[in-house]
Amino acid sequence: MPNLGDLNSAAIDASLKLDKLQRVGSDRIVSIDGVQGVFTPIGSADSQAMGSDERKNLLAIVDQLKREVARLQQENLALGERLAVLTQRPAAPDDFASAVQQSVDELQQRLATMRNATSNFAVRQLKLDASVFVQVSPVGTIEYRFVQPGDDIEAAAVSRLAMEIVPLPRSDLSGVWSPGLFQPELGVPALSGVTAAQARALEANGIYSIGEFLQVATRARAQAYLEALLGVERRQLATWAQQAALMLLRGVDGRVATLLIDSGIVDFEAIATLSAEAIVKRYMALRKKRGAAGFPAIDAALAGRWIVAARRYLGLAEPA
């Protein structure tokens, strides 16, 4: 029979009830690495025939090891699926356009914070010229992705992508995160429930602020990547995106955003339709119910600024 002492005891799950195994010999005191203990035989020496109790013991251990192998195989399958999501490269033009938009927005936000005595800074023009791998999808759309070092691609499939972006004047401030009213530069660790490891994973992928997180988390094709990267389900990702949207408002942190959402003030549209007094009343009532010490207080002046910011972002007339 197999030597049971050679089995990896760490692989035997706690669900295997050792007290149910049958003794096949007398207990005796043994010393292992200088530590004494009681040894209970559940199998005999290799030279002896296997008894019925030994067979039951062996089958119980083998069954548990099979369950452990099945669990590890399922875990490896799940990890393989996550790895496939993390390593896949975007190919569709809409992904490319979203990436360019996010990059330009991020650059503009950072330039907007630069000040000197004579000039302000802004993105005036962006030019991109790069090699791409071009292919036609089964549904007839042209897909392309940037060529990465080490890619084995036929020269005939490589083309040049040239693009020049020129700004056009805006007639209003809708869709703009005005510096005085918004705080898109707030770091991702401010999101309620994001762990330090998850924050590091986001930062390793170039997502440092809630503004950058919101731009990525609301793109359908990027959501699967973020779910795999952070090890969360889509519902949690949607919750963080909802928090991030409210945290764009200057003066809103993760705790305030959570309380606003739970009080029914879930987005800019809701804020734009309420009065400052109504926002304060809802927020402060829930704050009192949950324990005032855990949440900052707000006043009508702060809520009024949120309303101005929300209405300006939505392109609505500012309150009188």
Side-chain angles (χ1 to χ4, degrees), residues 69 73 116 119 123 228 246 262 298 305:
V69 170
Q73 288 176 334
N116 63 32
S119 303
V123 178
L246 289 178
D262 292 347
I298 66 172
R305 289 195 294 271

Side-chain angles (χ1 to χ4, degrees), residues 229-304:
L229 177 68
L230 302 176
V232 298
E233 297 181 353
R234 180 157 299 190
R235 179 178 298 179
Q236 178 61 69
L237 191 64
T239 297
W240 282 337
Q242 191 177 43
Q243 288 180 10
L246 289 178
M247 290 167 64
L248 291 173
L249 296 169
R250 192 164 295 279
V252 177
D253 61 13
R255 297 170 300 168
V256 174
T258 298
L259 211 58
L260 286 172
I261 292 171
D262 292 347
S263 65
I265 306 173
V266 297
D267 51 28
F268 286 178
E269 286 78 4
I271 291 176
T273 59
L274 294 172
S275 66
E277 292 73 17
I279 293 175
V280 172
K281 182 178 180 180
R282 284 196 195 182
Y283 178 92
M284 296 300 285
L286 188 57
R287 175 177 179 267
K288 181 179 180 181
K289 183 177 180 180
R290 293 194 177 177
F295 302 93
I298 66 172
D299 56 25
L302 180 59

